[in-house]
Amino acid sequence: MLIPTTYNQIPSKQACNNGSKLFGVTMSTMCSSLAQLSHVKFLGHANYIFSRSAYNSNISFYNGGKLGPDGNISKGATESFKLFYKTTQISQWLNLIIAYVPGSTGDGVDFDPVIEIEIKALNDSGSGYSDVGYADYGIRFDKSNSLQLAAQPATNSSAANFIPAQYVDTGIIIPTSAPTNTTPVPPRPLYIPNTVSTYQVRGELVQINVSCEDCKVMSVTVVDIYQAEETP
Amino acid sequence: MSNSYNSTTILADPSSVVASRQVTFETPERMANAINYCFGRGHCSNVLSQAYGDRSFNQDSSSLTEMCEWRIPLASLQHNQLECVVNYRLHGSSTNCNAKFILDVDGTTASTTINLPTTTNGIVNDTISITMPSSNQYYATLTMEVEGDSTTAEVEIYSVMASWKPLTSPLSAGAQYQYDVTEDFYPMGTTRTGVNQSLSSRFGHHMIDNIEIVRQRMRSYLTWSGIYSASSGSSLSVAAASEIYVGVGLIGLFASYPLIPTGFEELQGRKIEAHIRTIGSISFDFFGNRIEITRTAQTVGWTIVTLDVDNATRSERGDVDAPYYLASIEYSDDNAKALVSASPTADGYNNPTTLYPTVDAGNDGNIIGFTLMGV
């Protein structure tokens, strides 16, 4: 069946009164409204903005406000983060949109930015979450997959000269089958299996590991991918 | 079982009830299942998400120190357990480092304190249980305090997340409240939709009321808090130079993707709101709206702003295949002047000389917290 994204008009309650002729469209509209709620409105969503140092090394300045990514990233520098995403019971494929800043060419070196993303299943046995295995071995963004190699160096701190972040995303083309890779592959939507080993994954918390080199991640948005057609 | 739900049977096919089709009980049964699922689990994904790099979220004070405050939407007045998850590490070793979360719903508070013992990249979590007030509510305020162990150990936070625990199946019997205590949500007894049960007028009336109520549930799209009182034994160039205020460097990055499908404008009640914590007054541009907050100078508080959405002007970033629209702080000259920058000599630019939590004329007119929520 098709899943409508719209908030359609709900039928009049009088159409359901005793003595009224109940037309199919009354029930049909309710069915569509419910599908929109469960499969559109209540799709999972998380939006991580990364707070970064507000110290501007170009002018040795700090006033509590981020002046702009300055591209001051050492060649070979790495970072890794664990982000947490509460899946829904119908989560299956995730779209990620990532904002990042590559190293600045002002350092006179060539950068080779890489961002890898994998998903781990978590289980809380009562004493805190522990990693119970891979839900998806994940994907890898690099220069062959849209990552920009370098940012323009920041020359001063005025508002007009901050470096806009770059964006990459996994896309929404859903693969025909669940992934079987055991190392990161070129970008595709990430997968949430129903279970990992004996542990339930859908409807539970998962850990999204984000690792990067030669660049800094500035935000990560995670969205359950809307699927226009579902089997009832 | 009555009032139960099962996520595998929540789709009722609209084409199963059109003319010439045989009446079957599975359709109303699935409808009951679906509305119970939506009320019990709808928007129990992240209500708070924020991450931290560059050792900006550090604390070495040996007493609990308030560092962040967020606004989050409630799932309903029945969802009373908020799970908080933290990714962190210690620099140094100690068993005395903690993070405390304080949840406030209209003056009713509950809290949890989580120990932070790990020197490597660790995860901790705990759940806050709160007794919801018996009045209309749709949002909560969550405050985070952190303590290190002086020169022995310093806490570094990497990410913070919170989500409401879903209501388990079956839902409790009787009328329940989402946000309005005069508006009843009726869980649907799924045994009453069996093959030998009549389809009553009550089913239709309650289903319509329930759909209208659950459509009003708020989703959290963007949560950001400045990190104030960060402290480290290292210099500012290395650690604890936290983002306290929204600065020009967040233009474009300070963004999310609210769902605004066709029919959104026709919904009754709340639609999309920004909850903004400021020191004093400020005007800035966000999501195509000029937001003008008026607050007594040198006072701190939250302001709720209802946003208008001009769908046609909103471009999309990335491809999400659903009517999500990019909501962000605009690239505008006015924002360049309103938000924190470093142009002390240029007239009209905002360059604070005081760091919150100190409040004086040196940091009046700044944003220290921001949440975007909508139906």
Side-chain angles (χ1 to χ4, degrees):
Chain A
M1 61 177 277
L2 292 174
I3 306 294
T5 61
T6 61
Y7 287 111
N8 61 9
Q9 193 163 8
I10 301 174
S12 162
K13 281 198 275 191
Q14 290 179 331
C16 305
N17 283 354
N18 286 323
S20 297
K21 289 178 181 173
L22 182 58
F23 290 97
V25 69
T26 303
M27 293 289 281
S28 179
T29 305
M30 291 186 210
C31 294
S32 295
S33 299
L34 290 165
Q36 192 271 351
L37 286 172
S38 62
H39 284 68
V40 181
K41 177 177 169 66
F42 292 137
L43 289 176
H45 177 272
N47 189 46
Y48 282 89
I49 294 176
F50 283 58
S51 287
R52 291 284 185 178
S53 173
Y55 182 81
N56 189 308
S57 57
N58 291 329
I59 52 175
S60 301
F61 185 82
Y62 173 68
N63 66 356
K66 185 69 181 161
L67 305 182
D70 54 18
N72 284 330
I73 300 168
S74 301
K75 171 69 177 168
T78 60
E79 283 186 321
S80 60
F81 296 91
K82 294 175 180 175
L83 309 180
F84 305 99
Y85 182 62
K86 186 65 176 291
T87 63
T88 74
Q89 289 187 330
I90 59 172
S91 292
Q92 193 173 10
W93 295 96
L94 305 182
N95 172 231
L96 273 69
I97 304 170
I98 300 159
Y100 70 99
V101 175
S104 164
T105 52
D107 288 356
V109 294
D110 294 328
F111 286 90
D112 189 6
V114 174
I115 301 172
E116 288 187 351
I117 299 166
E118 62 187 21
I119 299 182
K120 290 292 198 74
L122 295 173
N123 178 58
D124 186 356
S125 58
S127 55
Y129 282 109
S130 57
D131 165 1
V132 293
Y134 282 93
D136 188 335
Y137 281 82
I139 57 174
R140 174 186 172 96
F141 294 97
D142 56 27
K143 62 187 177 186
S144 65
N145 290 298
S146 303
L147 283 198
Q148 182 163 308
L149 293 180
Q152 294 298 311
T155 53
N156 63 52
S157 59
S158 74
N161 283 283
F162 65 85
I163 303 172
Q166 308 298 318
Y167 296 86
V168 288
D169 70 273
T170 60
I172 55 160
I173 307 300
I174 294 176
T176 53
S177 59
T180 56
N181 56 297
T182 54
T183 56
V185 295
R188 55 159 172 76
L190 289 149
Y191 185 66
I192 300 294
N194 190 36
T195 57
V196 167
S197 184
T198 58
Y199 299 101
Q200 181 67 32
V201 180
R202 291 182 189 155
E204 304 297 329
L205 193 74
V206 296
Q207 176 181 307
I208 300 176
N209 291 340
V210 179
S211 307
C212 51
E213 181 175 342
D214 280 4
C215 62
K216 286 188 176 183
V217 173
M218 307 303 286
S219 75
V220 174
T221 302
V222 188
V223 184
D224 279 353
I225 294 179
Y226 159 72
Q227 298 190 49
E229 190 161 0
E230 296 274 4
T231 303
Chain B
M1 184 177 286
S2 190
N3 299 345
S4 63
Y5 64 81
N6 181 327
S7 64
T8 62
T9 52
I10 56 176
L11 281 177
D13 190 350
S15 65
S16 67
V17 289
V18 297
S20 82
R21 296 291 294 269
Q22 188 175 13
V23 175
T24 62
F25 74 94
E26 285 89 352
T27 299
E29 186 174 63
R30 281 175 174 253
M31 292 166 68
N33 197 13
I35 196 67
N36 290 345
Y37 168 87
C38 289
F39 190 82
R41 304 195 75 101
H43 195 50
C44 288
S45 55
N46 300 37
V47 286
L48 162 62
S49 314
Q50 197 170 347
Y52 310 92
D54 304 336
R55 293 184 65 180
S56 60
F57 197 153
N58 274 35
Q59 186 55 266
D60 60 0
S61 170
S62 54
S63 60
L64 281 166
T65 305
E66 182 180 311
M67 300 189 71
C68 291
E69 184 172 296
W70 301 272
R71 271 285 167 83
I72 55 174
L74 303 182
S76 81
L77 294 171
Q78 317 300 135
H79 292 75
N80 58 6
Q81 292 191 307
L82 185 76
E83 180 173 48
C84 302
V85 188
V86 180
N87 176 210
Y88 76 102
R89 66 159 293 183
L90 298 185
H91 297 274
S93 180
S94 173
T95 57
N96 298 326
C97 300
N98 296 293
K100 182 178 182 181
F101 290 91
I102 304 154
L103 182 65
D104 182 322
V105 183
D106 193 36
T108 301
T109 61
S111 66
T112 183
T113 301
I114 310 173
N115 188 240
L116 308 173
T118 305
T119 56
T120 54
N121 192 325
I123 314 168
V124 287
N125 64 293
D126 202 5
T127 298
I128 303 173
S129 296
I130 190 167
T131 302
M132 290 291 181
S134 55
S135 55
N136 297 350
Q137 306 296 333
Y138 70 99
Y139 63 80
T141 306
L142 185 67
T143 306
M144 183 179 184
E145 300 176 350
V146 179
E147 68 178 328
D149 194 359
S150 189
T151 55
T152 306
E154 188 171 308
V155 178
E156 179 180 3
I157 305 291
Y158 293 126
S159 67
V160 177
M161 173 269 185
S163 64
W164 294 101
K165 290 265 193 181
L167 303 178
T168 55
S169 174
L171 302 181
S172 302
Q176 301 186 25
Y177 304 127
Q178 184 162 268
Y179 300 139
D180 188 337
V181 295
T182 62
E183 206 170 49
D184 294 332
F185 173 91
Y186 294 98
M188 307 296 278
T190 49
T191 53
R192 292 298 193 96
T193 55
V195 66
N196 58 345
Q197 301 283 341
S198 61
L199 191 56
S200 65
S201 170
R202 179 196 60 83
F203 178 92
H205 278 246
H206 283 180
M207 184 62 76
I208 290 169
D209 285 340
N210 286 350
I211 290 171
E212 287 182 336
I213 288 171
V214 176
R215 279 182 173 182
Q216 285 295 311
R217 182 166 297 182
M218 301 293 264
R219 294 178 47 160
S220 172
Y221 290 115
L222 187 159
T223 44
W224 182 92
S225 170
I227 311 154
Y228 35 92
S229 302
S231 176
S232 170
S234 303
S235 67
L236 277 176
S237 61
V238 174
S242 60
E243 293 178 14
I244 301 173
Y245 315 111
V246 174
V248 293
L250 285 174
I251 289 177
L253 285 172
F254 202 92
S256 187
Y257 306 88
L259 175 74
I260 305 173
T262 305
F264 180 86
E265 296 296 335
E266 283 70 41
L267 293 177
Q268 299 298 309
R270 298 179 198 93
K271 293 191 180 73
I272 187 161
E273 294 178 348
H275 291 228
I276 306 161
R277 190 178 184 215
T278 63
I279 306 169
S281 304
I282 188 170
S283 297
F284 65 104
D285 302 325
F286 178 81
F287 197 24
N289 287 251
R290 165 54 58 92
I291 295 177
E292 296 184 347
I293 294 173
T294 304
R295 175 170 294 282
T296 303
Q298 300 173 43
T299 63
V300 177
W302 288 92
T303 303
I304 300 173
V305 178
T306 298
L307 302 178
D308 293 322
V309 182
D310 182 358
N311 302 39
T313 65
R314 312 314 306 171
S315 61
E316 293 182 29
R317 177 193 291 163
D319 189 358
V320 288
D321 202 27
Y324 293 100
Y325 291 84
L326 175 61
S328 68
I329 288 184
E330 316 283 356
Y331 288 92
S332 70
D333 288 343
D334 286 346
N335 276 353
K337 290 184 176 178
L339 307 178
V340 171
S341 66
S343 302
T345 57
D347 185 36
Y349 284 84
N350 176 5
N351 178 23
T353 54
T354 306
L355 301 180
Y356 184 78
T358 300
V359 175
D360 59 25
N363 59 359
D364 198 42
N366 279 292
I367 301 168
I368 55 174
F370 191 106
T371 290
L372 179 67
M373 62 174 84
V375 297

